[in-house]
Amino acid sequence: MNAYKTIETDDYPGLARMFFENGLEVEPDAPQPEGLIGCWEVLDSSGSRVAGIELEMRAGEYVIGGITVLKPYRKSGIGELMLQTVVDKVRKLGGPRVMLVAKVPAFFEKAGFYRIAREDSPEISKCFTCDQFQISCSPEIMERKL
Ligand SMILES: CC(C)(COP(=O)(O)OP(=O)(O)OC[C@H]1O[C@@H](n2cnc3c(N)ncnc32)[C@H](O)[C@@H]1OP(=O)(O)O)[C@@H](O)C(=O)NCCC(=O)NCCS
């Protein structure tokens, strides 16, 4: 168990920049997503952001649009902690499942997410219309039923 806490933030642009800088397909200067539900962050002891996660509604589904933990802070349970915060939020909202497009499926599997076929998924990602999908890039569509 670690001492980190997940707290809500309204700094979507700051999180989007962090996602972009850590290799996620998020435009750093794009406007806030229309379906944004919330953003959460984890701070270190000096108050600097070391991790963030974002939840939005896409195609009628609760979708995690980004999750990042800064490199020096990885593998200490922060990612799992943030996922739990978002899963709890969706549960409170009455959602039947949480979905995402995973670059690191093994991490999400540990948190109870399962891979689903592209044809079984609503259009939750721009990856579906990208010509590199499953050619040079193979993200997995995943869900966790609640
Ligand atoms: C993926 C990411 C969020 C994981 O965050 P983290 O804080 O390091 O994860 P945790 O420490 O909470 O790990 C939870 C479990 O997942 C495992 N895990 C973490 N990263 C993993 C990886 N890359 N591959 C496989 N398992 C992983 C951990 O070993 C741990 O398992 P354990 O409980 O059996 O020890 C982080 O590596 C990251 O920000 N990566 C860059 C951005 C990215 O790819 N985000 C995902 C986009 S879909």
Side-chain angles (χ1 to χ4, degrees):
M1 199 58 198
N2 60 53
Y4 293 108
K5 285 193 176 61
T6 310
I7 51 176
E8 197 152 10
T9 172
D10 58 7
D11 183 20
Y12 175 80
L15 253 58
R17 266 196 311 280
M18 184 172 69
F19 295 152
F20 175 74
E21 285 163 5
N22 284 271
L24 304 193
E25 277 78 29
V26 174
E27 293 295 329
D29 300 317
Q32 192 166 291
E34 264 182 37
L36 185 69
I37 294 171
C39 295
W40 293 262
E41 64 184 358
V42 172
L43 307 178
D44 68 9
S45 55
S46 66
S48 297
R49 178 183 296 142
V50 301
I53 189 167
E54 180 254 26
L55 176 70
E56 58 188 88
M57 188 65 96
R58 288 187 199 160
E61 299 284 346
Y62 291 96
V63 176
I64 294 173
I67 174 171
T68 290
V69 178
L70 296 185
K71 263 194 189 142
Y73 295 86
R74 289 180 193 167
K75 298 284 172 84
S76 56
I78 296 176
E80 196 180 344
L81 178 76
M82 294 195 299
L83 271 185
Q84 197 52 52
T85 299
V86 166
V87 165
D88 289 347
K89 174 74 178 180
V90 174
R91 202 176 268 126
K92 268 190 205 143
L93 293 170
R97 64 175 172 179
V98 186
M99 299 188 74
L100 52 86
V101 183
K103 296 185 81 153
V104 193
F107 163 70
F108 294 103
E109 276 171 347
K110 293 217 159 175
F113 284 76
Y114 289 87
R115 298 168 200 229
I116 61 172
R118 176 183 178 178
E119 51 275 21
D120 294 336
S121 169
E123 295 285 308
I124 61 162
S125 170
K126 61 179 186 250
C127 290
F128 294 160
T129 52
C130 174
D131 60 7
Q132 290 308 303
F133 185 71
Q134 309 296 31
I135 295 173
S136 67
C137 185
S138 304
E140 295 279 355
I141 302 139
M142 302 185 82
E143 66 169 11
R144 179 170 159 182
K145 291 202 167 111
L146 301 180

